[in-house]
Amino acid sequence: MKQNKNILRFHFIFFAAIALYMITGSIFFDGCCPLRVILNIECPFCGMTTAYFRLLKGDLKGAFEAHSLFFIGVPFILIIAHFEVLKKRFGVFVNIISGIMIVLLVVRYIIRIRSGQIFLSVLY
């Protein structure tokens, strides 16, 4: 019973942190990622928040345009957050799924850099 309370508490804090991030991002950073505003670089997750905002408005096409891999964002974060528990239960399968998600995000990021969609001003 106590373990269930801890899990519920963790999920509440997790989703509250995401909500706080989205609210502060939309208020203080004009809807942009704080990392992008402060450091002037884009990360592999750039566009994910915009994609989820568009999805919440029912704009599936707009969500894919904002970030083509938005559908793996939440599962990826949940897998990372619960990695130890999932690894005990599902073993190597969790490593494989996590690895595939990371490879997809990195490949998408490299493609965006090579195509000129991302300019890494910190490196120049």
Side-chain angles (χ1 to χ4, degrees):
M1 185 72 159
K2 184 171 175 135
Q3 186 178 9
N4 289 342
K5 267 188 168 179
N6 287 339
I7 290 172
L8 286 174
R9 185 177 300 131
F10 171 79
H11 283 97
F12 177 77
I13 292 170
F14 177 78
F15 287 111
I18 289 174
L20 182 65
Y21 166 78
M22 291 178 84
I23 290 168
T24 56
S26 64
I27 293 172
F28 298 111
F29 298 106
D30 196 29
C32 290
C33 172
L35 181 69
R36 185 175 181 183
V37 172
I38 295 169
L39 297 178
N40 198 26
I41 61 170
E42 291 185 18
C43 70
F45 286 98
C46 251
M48 200 71 79
T49 305
T50 303
Y52 284 114
F53 275 130
R54 290 180 180 176
L55 183 66
L56 288 173
K57 293 178 181 178
D59 183 11
L60 186 62
K61 184 179 180 216
F64 271 106
E65 288 172 356
H67 197 291
S68 56
L69 297 174
F70 76 93
F71 55 90
I72 70 168
V74 171
F76 179 75
I77 291 170
L78 289 174
I79 286 174
I80 298 303
H82 299 288
F83 190 77
E84 292 302 320
V85 174
L86 292 171
K87 187 162 173 134
K88 287 178 186 174
R89 181 139 189 207
F90 299 106
V92 178
F93 183 69
V94 174
N95 288 343
I96 293 169
I97 295 297
S98 301
I100 290 170
M101 289 178 169
I102 290 169
V103 167
L104 286 172
L105 287 166
V106 169
V107 166
R108 179 188 177 274
Y109 190 60
I110 291 169
I111 289 170
R112 290 187 69 212
I113 290 171
R114 300 281 295 158
S115 68
Q117 292 178 4
I118 297 176
F119 179 70
L120 298 176
S121 60
V122 174
L123 301 177
Y124 297 102

